[in-house]
Amino acid sequence: FIAVENIDSYCVLISSKAVYFLKSGDYADREAIFLEVKYDDLYHCLVSKDHGKVYIQLTKKAVNTSSGVAMPGPSQQKPMVRIQ
């Protein structure tokens, strides 16, 4: 556990191994996690703004890479979370 940040109707929990996005409420309940991104699976993180709203886009590494090179995955591997 490193930090917790409350944002509107959810919470971001940062640990030494992953980032967790949780629905507000009981943070001890595993069912509250709606997005978990492990650092080993993370390719990069991008913050973007659109019409006054701020988003974090977390690009996950491709699931299978024959060359062993970390490449961004397909579009479903780029979850976006609105933070403002």
Side-chain angles (χ1 to χ4, degrees):
F1 171 76
I2 295 173
V4 172
E5 185 69 36
N6 290 307
I7 302 171
D8 292 333
S9 63
Y10 64 94
C11 169
V12 179
L13 183 131
I14 302 168
S15 78
S16 60
K17 304 226 183 244
V19 177
Y20 303 92
F21 293 86
L22 302 94
K23 295 178 252 173
S24 62
D26 185 8
Y27 301 133
D29 184 6
R30 185 101 176 128
E31 297 295 316
I33 299 171
F34 66 87
L35 177 62
E36 173 184 349
V37 180
K38 295 180 180 168
Y39 294 130
D40 289 344
D41 298 333
L42 188 62
Y43 183 72
H44 71 81
C45 179
L46 174 68
V47 176
S48 62
K49 295 180 182 178
D50 183 28
H51 295 86
K53 296 178 180 153
V54 179
Y55 296 88
I56 296 176
Q57 182 179 34
L58 304 162
T59 303
K60 295 180 180 181
K61 293 178 186 172
V63 177
N64 294 320
T65 57
S66 58
S67 65
V69 176
M71 298 292 292
S75 61
Q76 69 268 21
Q77 295 295 97
K78 296 181 180 182
M80 289 186 78
V81 178
R82 190 176 81 158
I83 59 171
Q84 271 186 352

